[in-house]
Amino acid sequence: VEPGTITFNAVITACERFGLWQKAIQLFGMMMQNRIESSAITFNAAISACTSKTGGQWETALHILDAMKRSIVELDMVTVGAAISACETAEKWEQIMQLFSDMDRDQVEHDTITFNTAINACLKGGAWETTLQLFSSMTQRKVKSNAITYSGAISACKKHCEWKKALQLFSA
């Protein structure tokens, strides 16, 4: 009996959970090479394996995301969010901003988690103005913010002595 999509998905997910990112990527590659049907779960698990602290393979995550875009599997917020997390782990805020732009182009919705991840990455990268732009965009898009969102935006203001902006955010 040949393993199929469900079997591969389960094993890739298990590899991701145990930090075995290289094995997860190897299995994903086998699926692609042998033309075994993939699903959003396949791509999500493979990208998530790249995100782990032991993996940190943001470039591989982006290659897998590109492979998904070329496949018949529909791109979704969970998959793009996993790629954003991979870039955030590696502190690649510029790549995250590109993914945000791609989400708009590909008509994939943003959510609180993707915004917070991007805000955190920009904050770590010293891109405080971009952090505040994300906060503003989140408000314009009517994406619900939370304590993490406000903390990131206020921290950006604090780090760059923009106390008036911090007070405005705090009073919002």
Side-chain angles (χ1 to χ4, degrees):
V1 175
E2 292 291 318
T5 306
I6 294 171
T7 304
F8 271 97
N9 286 351
V11 177
I12 291 171
T13 300
C15 289
E16 179 256 323
R17 288 191 178 138
F18 287 105
L20 303 171
W21 68 270
Q22 292 166 316
K23 188 66 174 171
I25 300 309
Q26 180 185 12
L27 290 166
F28 177 80
M30 285 175 53
M31 282 185 77
M32 298 298 111
Q33 185 177 9
N34 294 321
R35 299 183 191 271
I36 296 170
E37 183 180 343
S38 55
S39 67
I41 294 169
T42 309
F43 288 98
N44 293 344
I47 291 172
S48 292
C50 297
T51 303
S52 71
K53 297 291 184 205
T54 56
Q57 301 298 312
W58 66 275
E59 291 170 307
T60 304
L62 295 181
H63 288 301
I64 294 168
L65 184 65
D66 286 339
M68 184 177 188
K69 290 177 182 179
R70 291 188 306 271
S71 76
I72 61 169
V73 179
E74 187 175 336
L75 191 62
D76 64 10
M77 184 175 20
V78 174
T79 310
V80 179
I84 287 172
S85 291
C87 292
E88 191 265 340
T89 300
E91 298 184 16
K92 299 293 181 183
W93 68 270
E94 298 96 340
Q95 292 294 329
I96 291 172
M97 296 313 297
Q98 182 59 54
L99 289 170
F100 258 67
S101 177
D102 293 350
M103 286 175 80
D104 291 335
R105 185 195 65 226
D106 297 332
Q107 298 179 336
V108 176
E109 285 189 44
H110 301 70
D111 68 354
T112 305
I113 294 169
T114 55
F115 267 104
N116 285 348
T117 303
I119 286 170
N120 188 44
C122 290
L123 187 60
K124 286 179 184 176
W128 70 275
E129 290 168 322
T130 306
T131 300
L132 295 177
Q133 288 170 357
L134 284 166
F135 182 82
S136 177
S137 176
M138 192 174 184
T139 304
Q140 290 169 357
R141 294 169 188 250
K142 297 182 178 20
V143 175
K144 188 174 182 178
S145 55
N146 59 21
I148 296 168
T149 313
Y150 281 97
S151 176
I154 290 170
S155 292
C157 294
K158 177 183 163 194
K159 284 187 175 190
H160 298 280
C161 300
E162 294 289 334
W163 62 270
K164 288 180 183 177
K165 285 185 183 180
L167 286 174
Q168 288 173 346
L169 292 173
F170 189 70
S171 64

